[in-house]
Every structure is written in structure tokens, then in C-alpha cells.
């Protein structure tokens, strides 16, 4: 019997193998994802994330008897996204749709309004609006929360890294967003930069990355009533002990607030969780 992933980590890591820096070819990504879905750690893994423009290529790489759950990333305008989804192969289940609503510094409201209209037509598919951590953020969260309260399965998505230092929010900035989502009962996803479990500095770029176990501890603290300073403290720690112990204490509970994040590697977060003693890797005969 294989070991199981604790409930707290269920579906934590969406498979973003085709996106940089992994940039796997689509056939390789699909093969690897199906292997992940059959592995003892399958409960850790969310859907395969694919750009909308790649959906027409899926029939050529799927076996006739295969089925695949995907999350579609909007790399086409929202107006063309619905048509791309409608043409998805019958063997493909679109689990979620994620799309940016604005560039940094732009008003997110027009793009968000278009995405919410699309969400109304998608018959219950989860939709994540990627909102820049700049101008208009709180008003956009208010609009998302109102739509969610009205029955739409929508939530927020934020970037926590990238190719420039300003794309990495500080612990206080990220804590403020987490608490803002908590106050609005609004789930959120993250993307980019969460390469390791614990906060660390990348020696090649010099950028300091958030750790995904730090984020998990921060979300637990926020839903427990912590305010921005307390949440930011957990995001900033580089000693794993405190955040690991908080995660371990809640391992049998459903993960609150934070839906998860996309990673171009499944093995790296899995290895980190095993190393920290949060997932019991291996097999029992």
C-alpha cells in the first residue's frame, strides 16, 4: 500500500511543466502528468496547466482511451478564450480557467468585467482572475468577492515572482493581499517564484523567493485571525522549524483560503515536503 499525501496538501501543486523555466514539450508534459496522476503522491497534484493556444494540439498527443484534466491559462484575449474552450477535445476536462485581467499599472476593472462575463457562461468552471499587485487591486478584489457571493465560482490569482525584482512582493505586500482575501472570504491562487518550500535567496539572480510552506503557514495564520504583521512574519522566516510545525499541526485539515500554485516541476516540491517530514515518501509493502 502506498503512503498518502496529508489532506492539507491535497491538490497543492498544479502541473505547469510546459511553462518556463521548465518549458517541456507538450507530448512530454502529458506523459509525465499521467505518470504523476498514477503515482503514490497523486493527491498532491492538481491539473495540467496549458495555454489556451495549446488546446488544439492535445488530440494528437492523447491516446484514444486517455482522459485528461487541465487548467487553461488565457494566453489569448478573453473574447477568444470561450471559443478555444468550446473546441477542446472530448477527452479533456477543463477544471479551471485562469487569465490576467490587466498589466501592472493598468486599471484591472475592464478586463475583470470581461472575465466575469465569461465566467457566467462557463457553467460552473472555476475561473481565476490574475490581478497585478498594483493600482486598483482592492477594488478588483471587491468585485471578485461580490461575484463569488452571487454564486460565480471565481477567485483571485497573484504573481509572486518573475524575471524582475519588482515582481516579487515583499512579505508585507503579500501578507496584506492574503489578509484582504481573508476579509472578503475570497480564495486565491499563486504563480511564479515558489520554487522551494522555505523562503530563500536564489544565488544566480539574487532574488529572494517566497517559500510555499511559508505561504501555507501564512494562510493558516490569516484564517486563524492573524493580522498583516503576524502573517508577514511567517512569510519572512527562513528557518523552517516554525512554519513546518504549523503545517504539521494542521495536516489533517482542509487547506484554507489558498487554493494552490503552479509549478513547472512536481518532483521539486514533493522532494522538499519529504525532506521536511511533511509527506512520508516511499512505499509500504
Amino acid at each position: 500500500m502506498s503512503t498518502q499525501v496529508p489532506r492539507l496538501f491535497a491538490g497543492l501543486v498544479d502541473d505547469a511543466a510546459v511553462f518556463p523555466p521548465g518549458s517541456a514539450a507538450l507530448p512530454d508534459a502529458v506523459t509525465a502528468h499521467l505518470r504523476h496522476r498514477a503515482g503514490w503522491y497523486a493527491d498532491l497534484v492538481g491539473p495540467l496547466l496549458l495555454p489556451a493556444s495549446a488546446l488544439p494540439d492535445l488530440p494528437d498527443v492523447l491516446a484514444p482511451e486517455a482522459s485528461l484534466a487541465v487548467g487553461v491559462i488565457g494566453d489569448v484575449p478573453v473574447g477568444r478564450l470561450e471559443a478555444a474552450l468550446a473546441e477542446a477535445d472530448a477527452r479533456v476536462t477543463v477544471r479551471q480557467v485562469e487569465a490576467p485581467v490587466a498589466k501592472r499599472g493598468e486599471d484591472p476593472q475592464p478586463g475583470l468585467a470581461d472575465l466575469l462575463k465569461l465566467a457566467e457562461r462557463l457553467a460552473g468552471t472555476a475561473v481565476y482572475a490574475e490581478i497585478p499587485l498594483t493600482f486598483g487591486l482592492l477594488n478588483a478584489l471587491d468585485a471578485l468577492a461580490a461575484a463569488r457571493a452571487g454564486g460565480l465560482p471565481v477567485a483571485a490569482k497573484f504573481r509572486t515572482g518573475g524575471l524582475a525584482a519588482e515582481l516579487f512582493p515583499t512579505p508585507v505586500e503579500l501578507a496584506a493581499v492574503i489578509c484582504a482575501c481573508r476579509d472578503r472570504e475570497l480564495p486565491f491562487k499563486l504563480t511564479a517564484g515558489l520554487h522551494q518550500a522555505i523562503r530563500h535567496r536564489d544565488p544566480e539572480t539574487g532574488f529572494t523567493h517566497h517559500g510555499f510552506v511559508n505561504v501555507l503557514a501564512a494562510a493558516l495564520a490569516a484564517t486563524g485571525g492573524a493580522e498583516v504583521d503576524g502573517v508577514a512574519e511567517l512569510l519572512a522566516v527562513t528557518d523552517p522549524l516554525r512554519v513546518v510545525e504549523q503545517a504539521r499541526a494542521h495536516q489533517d485539515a482542509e487547506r484554507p483560503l489558498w487554493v494552490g500554485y503552479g509549478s513547472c516541476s512536481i518532483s521539486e516540491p514533493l522532494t522538499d515536503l519529504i525532506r521536511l517530514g511533511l509527506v512520508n515518501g516511499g512505499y509500504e509493502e
Side-chain angles (χ1 to χ4, degrees):
M1 181 179 68
S2 66
T3 58
Q4 295 183 347
V5 174
R7 186 180 181 192
L8 184 65
F9 303 106
L12 175 66
V13 188
D14 287 351
D15 187 350
V18 303
F19 293 92
S23 303
L26 182 60
D28 295 337
V30 169
T31 298
H33 183 74
L34 294 175
R35 186 171 63 248
H36 295 318
R37 297 302 311 160
W40 64 266
Y41 53 89
D43 287 347
L44 176 70
V45 184
L48 179 65
L49 300 182
L50 296 176
S53 59
L55 288 177
D57 299 324
L58 270 180
D60 295 332
V61 301
L62 278 178
E65 71 282 1
S67 61
L68 188 67
V70 302
V72 175
I73 308 299
D75 64 336
V76 299
V78 171
R80 291 169 49 197
L81 190 52
E82 186 173 9
L85 295 170
E87 294 174 0
D89 190 273
R91 292 166 292 173
V92 175
T93 299
V94 176
R95 182 85 56 82
Q96 61 210 43
V97 174
E98 308 174 19
V101 298
K103 297 178 181 178
R104 285 175 63 85
E106 292 180 346
D107 183 359
Q109 291 292 352
L112 179 57
D114 289 341
L115 189 61
L116 291 176
K117 290 176 183 177
L118 175 63
E120 292 175 353
R121 299 192 295 270
L122 289 183
T125 301
V127 173
Y128 296 90
E130 183 180 319
I131 306 170
L133 300 181
T134 56
F135 173 74
L137 170 63
L138 294 182
N139 286 339
L141 294 182
D142 286 340
L144 268 178
R148 186 175 180 85
L152 280 183
V154 294
K157 178 181 174 182
F158 310 110
R159 300 192 75 81
T160 49
L163 299 178
E166 63 267 21
L167 298 178
F168 290 79
T170 67
V172 171
E173 289 170 337
L174 184 54
V177 169
I178 291 173
C179 289
C181 288
R182 183 269 319 275
D183 293 344
R184 292 164 175 77
E185 299 182 350
L186 183 65
F188 66 90
K189 281 197 70 181
L190 298 177
T191 186
L194 294 173
H195 297 163
Q196 296 181 20
I198 305 300
R199 184 173 176 83
H200 64 283
R201 179 180 178 276
D202 186 321
E204 294 185 6
T205 64
F207 299 153
T208 299
H209 291 243
H210 290 286
F212 65 84
V213 172
N214 293 75
V215 174
L216 180 55
L220 288 166
T223 54
E227 294 304 331
V228 171
D229 56 348
V231 175
E233 183 181 351
L234 290 169
L235 291 170
V237 300
T238 56
D239 180 351
L241 183 60
R242 182 174 178 188
V243 291
V244 166
E245 287 305 315
Q246 185 156 359
R248 185 174 288 116
H250 294 83
Q251 66 178 0
D252 296 326
E254 184 175 347
R255 187 170 58 259
L257 195 60
W258 184 30
V259 177
Y261 74 104
S263 172
C264 64
S265 170
I266 298 299
S267 62
E268 288 179 2
L270 176 62
T271 298
D272 266 8
L273 289 170
I274 293 172
R275 177 177 58 83
L276 293 170
L278 291 171
V279 167
N280 183 19
Y283 296 84
E284 297 176 4
E285 297 296 337

